[in-house]
Amino acid sequence: MKRYMVFFFTFVVAIVFADIKIGVLLPLTGGISAFGEWTKKGIELAREQRPTVLGEKVVLVYADTRSEKTEAANAMARLTDKEKVVAVIGEIASSNSMAAAEIAENRKVPQVAVTSTNPLVTQGKKFVSRVCFIDPLQGTALAEFAANTLKARKVTIFVDIEQDYSVGLTNYFIERFEGKYKGNVQKVQYKSGDQEFSAQISQAIAFGSDVIMFTGYYNEIALAAQQARSMGYKGYFIAGDGADAPELIKIGGKAVEGLYFTTHYVPEAAKTKKAKDFVESFKKKYGTLPAMNAALGYDAYMLILDAIERAKSKDPVKINNAIRSTKNFEGVSGLITIDENGNAIKPVVIVQVKNGKFTYVTSIEPAQLK
Amino acid sequence: MSLNPTILIQNLLNGLMVGGLYALIAVGYTMVYGILRLINFAFGDVMVMGIYFAYYGATLIRLSFPLAVTVSLAGTALLGIVIDRLAYKPLRNSPRISALITAIGVSFFIESFAVVFFGPNYKPFLDALENKTIAFESFVIGNVYLPKIIFIILGITAIALFILFVIVYRTKIGMAMRAISADIPTTSLMGINVDNVIGFTFAISSALAALAGVMWALRYPSFYPYTGFVPGLKAFIAAVFGGIGSIGGAVVGGILLGVIEMMIITLFPTLMQYKDAFAFIILIVILLVKPAGLLGKRTVEKV
């Protein structure tokens, strides 16, 4: 009897002092697991610095998407239905975020995507937001950079046809670039997980490309860059934020030296006190500089907690309304304002691989790209 | 697109290289099949273990690269023997389908083991190399660029296959292997320890798979526990293509498969996204037209 009493007591305590559960949907294994790992590091640091909200403890529930769409949807359903989380941070890849978003929408649980930049992630959805800019901006920035700074006239784009992010970014780039130099862009295709790119590279070389652009993710970019150099390609490499993981350099080595890419954040560009403090505390905890995903994961967590505080409630719908009305929230990756479509409006950062390190080149404000 | 000869030569070499690697793994499939009538689906995974052993030998224990590869070959040979003893030997006299299912189980086991022990993430193989630019150095003749790594891989593959042929056709143990593949009971009546010879076959074929793995990682220097899946599957197709059970067939099948794959996407770049499908189309065609494979012997199974 006594034992049952103890059980009953813990049960009551658990209900009264229930924690606030936040789901974290990340690719912790598979093709883009480096993004997942970095994001996790950022979120863990954020939770360490701010473990409670509304006087209750925040509990993070992790769900691995294995870098796949179907698994992303399954994991999301697990978070909302079984774990009953009040909000979800994630995913990274646009395709995976979109698969999960259907469920977020259906269950009315707010989802905050970290670096999913395809416009379709939030389009027409009420419960999906993100802490990053979107691809029309990124594609335009890349096109301007290629045309003006690199003086590119012939561009071959490597499109990962399995990723909505890649297909979308490619189209936005072409839209802008073809506006200046018509017929000077060529697309070649591959699939996530491919390792052999020599046929595509031959095409790029035969086209006389002075720029090869990769719109996929770091692993394939690193391999393709090596093969391109071994086949005598001498021009520039550029890429979108899918390249932004330190693993790019680890896998690609000297072949990715000089590659330019657009992204959301680079520790060097930290100006505000908050941003500098983040870099310091990240270095203290992990012994390395934060990668882009760490900063955005950190921001996503802090933004959700801020929203819960403003909503003064654990009700997912109220939290969602608070997330959607975020104005000038000070994140470590810059000021975040969520617009009526759930997208953040932020500058595009351009980074170059130099001496085996990511080096800040410049930032482009959204207004400059109109 | 205008097809210039440079591109043709580059991709032909590339196809030869990939085909050579397929051949190395296919030889393993075919040898084990020849002897046990068992398709060991775990060869793709043995190949990945070979990469992991070499990687950790060079990074963790800090061996020189050639030594790390040697250790890796020895380790995978041992792994091959252990797999045979634990998973296949108890099933020698069971229906063939049981052994086949076990092979799939072994494959899953190795993959999961690698996920738990080595982690699920891509590892950069460059860490294991002293020469970090080897993957993209090339010989330049005029304005033709020929990647060095391709020649290295082709050379090593040729040497490995030569040694294999010497073992199989010029040594006592090779003769025993061939005898077993013809008739197991009679061979054992001749005083040959069948289990030891089968163990030796697994050791050789696993070491070849590991060698293929290390070279695969030299060319594509990023790997994770599932890296062996596609090459393993392609090698299996290559073995069937060439005539399963025939070592020469596996070599021819592997090289042809590699070259055909590469040439189709070179000549028809728009088909690029279907690259992996060609191997299966070839498999279907060969099964329809010449079920015994290119160099296979048609045998009538007596019931």
Side-chain angles (χ1 to χ4, degrees):
Chain A
M1 192 60 210
K2 207 174 158 195
R3 211 201 275 160
Y4 289 111
M5 288 292 285
V6 174
F7 266 136
F8 182 70
F9 185 69
T10 35
F11 187 65
V12 171
V13 170
I15 288 186
V16 175
F17 298 98
D19 305 322
I20 290 190
K21 273 189 177 177
I22 296 179
V24 185
L25 186 71
L26 291 178
L28 294 171
T29 59
I32 52 165
S33 56
F35 286 148
E37 300 258 303
W38 282 107
T39 315
K40 187 175 172 189
K41 281 186 178 155
I43 296 173
E44 297 267 294
L45 177 66
R47 202 195 88 91
E48 214 174 273
Q49 293 181 356
R50 194 172 172 192
T52 57
V53 67
L54 302 177
E56 288 177 29
K57 210 174 113 217
V58 178
V59 172
L60 295 172
V61 187
Y62 286 95
D64 178 17
T65 63
R66 291 198 255 153
S67 312
E68 287 170 17
K69 296 171 210 176
T70 41
E71 201 51 40
N74 293 341
M76 185 68 166
R78 211 153 58 232
L79 289 176
T80 54
D81 302 355
K82 188 162 163 271
E83 302 287 349
K84 307 275 181 226
V85 298
V86 299
V88 174
I89 304 174
E91 226 252 15
I92 306 294
S94 295
S95 298
N96 303 349
S97 285
M98 278 155 71
E102 296 298 326
I103 293 156
E105 216 43 29
N106 188 286
R107 311 290 199 275
K108 302 205 181 333
V109 174
Q111 175 188 359
V112 178
V114 183
T115 55
S116 307
T117 45
N118 191 293
L120 296 172
V121 172
T122 56
Q123 201 169 73
K125 303 204 175 71
K126 290 197 179 65
F127 286 86
V128 188
S129 314
R130 60 180 131 205
V131 289
C132 55
F133 54 67
I134 56 176
D135 285 333
L137 186 74
Q138 181 168 217
T140 313
L142 276 168
E144 291 291 333
F145 181 75
N148 301 338
T149 311
L150 303 181
K151 310 270 178 251
R153 294 301 174 262
K154 288 266 187 187
V155 182
T156 298
I157 309 180
F158 279 58
V159 190
D160 182 344
I161 51 166
E162 274 191 2
Q163 301 294 344
D164 295 288
Y165 152 70
S166 182
V167 175
L169 181 58
T170 303
N171 291 340
Y172 296 113
F173 176 90
I174 292 178
E175 213 168 273
R176 185 70 163 216
F177 196 83
E178 290 254 302
K180 297 169 183 282
Y181 307 105
K182 200 146 183 49
N184 284 15
V185 182
Q186 168 189 247
K187 283 197 275 187
V188 292
Q189 302 175 325
Y190 69 94
K191 282 188 305 196
S192 297
D194 277 1
Q195 296 185 303
E196 179 61 63
F197 300 95
S198 35
Q200 290 93 324
I201 295 161
S202 310
Q203 273 204 299
I205 294 174
F207 188 65
S209 319
D210 39 22
V211 167
I212 287 182
M213 166 155 136
F214 301 106
T215 54
Y217 294 116
Y218 59 90
N219 195 35
E220 287 84 5
I221 297 176
L223 294 183
Q226 281 181 335
Q227 291 168 29
R229 290 294 185 227
S230 81
M231 291 173 71
Y233 172 72
K234 292 264 188 300
Y236 291 106
F237 292 130
I238 59 172
D241 61 327
D244 194 356
E247 281 67 12
L248 175 82
I249 302 174
K250 280 197 198 151
I251 297 169
K254 292 223 169 66
V256 295
E257 186 70 24
L259 180 143
Y260 290 97
F261 62 85
T262 46
T263 187
H264 312 270
Y265 168 85
V266 64
E268 275 181 86
K271 294 229 169 53
T272 61
K273 184 177 176 303
K274 205 168 195 171
K276 282 179 185 153
D277 287 350
F278 166 72
V279 175
E280 278 315 306
S281 45
F282 194 94
K283 256 184 16 204
K284 225 169 103 191
K285 186 167 160 67
Y286 299 108
T288 162
L289 282 173
M292 167 275 280
N293 279 91
L296 268 79
Y298 182 97
D299 279 354
Y301 176 89
M302 289 303 191
L303 185 134
I304 289 180
L305 256 62
D306 178 68
I308 295 176
E309 202 168 67
R310 280 185 285 122
K312 294 189 184 60
S313 159
K314 283 160 64 177
D315 176 29
V317 177
K318 285 190 183 136
I319 296 174
N320 185 56
N321 290 339
I323 292 174
R324 278 297 176 99
S325 54
T326 302
K327 286 259 157 6
N328 291 325
F329 169 80
E330 197 196 344
V332 295
S333 64
L335 286 181
I336 299 174
T337 297
I338 306 279
D339 69 8
E340 68 278 11
N341 301 316
N343 303 325
I345 303 153
K346 290 163 82 183
V348 180
V349 180
I350 293 181
V351 173
Q352 186 185 23
V353 181
K354 220 185 222 171
N355 301 324
K357 279 200 198 91
F358 289 158
T359 315
Y360 173 71
V361 177
T362 181
S363 306
I364 304 175
E365 292 296 327
Q368 288 170 262
L369 292 168
K370 283 290 174 256
Chain B
M1 185 187 87
S2 62
L3 250 190
N4 66 47
T6 312
I7 290 178
L8 220 55
I9 295 171
Q10 277 176 342
N11 284 323
L12 193 67
L13 276 173
N14 229 317
L16 272 176
M17 176 204 75
V18 176
L21 296 182
Y22 289 161
L24 280 184
I25 314 171
V27 162
Y29 273 108
T30 233
M31 276 166 58
V32 169
Y33 182 86
I35 289 182
L36 293 178
R37 299 286 177 273
L38 162 74
I39 294 162
N40 180 17
F41 275 114
F43 271 127
D45 304 301
V46 171
M47 163 187 157
V48 178
M49 293 308 275
I51 309 180
Y52 274 108
F53 290 163
Y55 176 77
Y56 282 114
T59 56
L60 223 56
I61 318 178
R62 303 197 165 280
L63 300 171
S64 70
F65 187 68
L67 198 59
V69 175
T70 316
V71 169
S72 152
L73 295 192
T76 39
L78 196 67
L79 178 70
I81 296 174
V82 171
I83 290 174
D84 173 50
R85 284 290 137 102
L86 295 183
Y88 302 139
K89 194 173 165 234
L91 295 169
R92 282 284 197 268
N93 299 317
S94 323
R96 242 184 262 161
I97 190 81
S98 316
L100 185 74
I101 303 289
T102 310
I104 296 172
V106 171
S107 164
F108 285 171
F109 176 81
I110 297 178
E111 282 167 7
S112 312
F113 176 86
V115 168
V116 173
F117 261 78
F118 305 132
N121 303 331
Y122 280 95
K123 296 250 185 304
F125 198 69
L126 285 186
D127 286 358
L129 300 175
E130 283 122 47
N131 178 359
K132 309 242 181 257
T133 54
I134 187 78
F136 56 98
E137 282 172 9
S138 33
F139 297 115
V140 190
I141 308 156
N143 49 10
V144 181
Y145 279 73
L146 302 172
K148 271 184 195 168
I149 197 86
I150 292 185
F151 293 99
I152 296 173
I153 292 177
L154 279 174
I156 294 178
T157 307
I159 294 170
L161 289 174
F162 176 74
I163 294 174
L164 176 80
F165 275 92
V166 169
I167 290 177
V168 174
Y169 292 102
R170 288 283 180 278
T171 64
K172 271 245 161 78
I173 187 118
M175 190 190 280
M177 284 160 71
R178 282 179 289 138
I180 289 179
S181 78
D183 188 339
I184 292 184
T186 316
T187 312
S188 69
L189 285 177
M190 299 292 134
I192 288 168
N193 185 334
V194 173
D195 281 326
N196 281 356
V197 177
I198 292 176
F200 182 73
T201 312
F202 268 92
I204 289 198
S205 49
S206 301
L208 283 179
L211 185 65
V214 171
M215 291 194 286
W216 191 273
L218 278 176
R219 169 72 176 165
Y220 312 112
S222 122
F223 64 100
Y224 77 131
Y226 299 97
T227 295
F229 181 70
V230 173
L233 215 56
K234 296 271 180 68
F236 170 63
I237 294 172
V240 176
F241 187 27
I244 194 146
S246 143
I247 297 179
V251 174
V252 173
I255 290 173
L256 273 182
L257 184 67
V259 172
I260 292 175
E261 262 189 355
M262 200 64 73
M263 280 298 122
I264 292 183
I265 52 173
T266 307
L267 298 176
F268 310 102
T270 44
L271 297 177
M272 222 161 311
Q273 45 183 310
Y274 306 110
K275 188 181 144 228
D276 285 341
F278 299 130
F280 296 99
I281 295 172
I282 291 173
L283 177 68
I284 294 169
V285 171
I286 202 85
L287 286 177
L288 288 175
V289 179
K290 207 167 182 308
L294 291 179
L295 302 185
K297 286 188 278 298
R298 177 178 284 270
T299 48
V300 181
E301 207 153 308
K302 293 188 191 106
V303 184

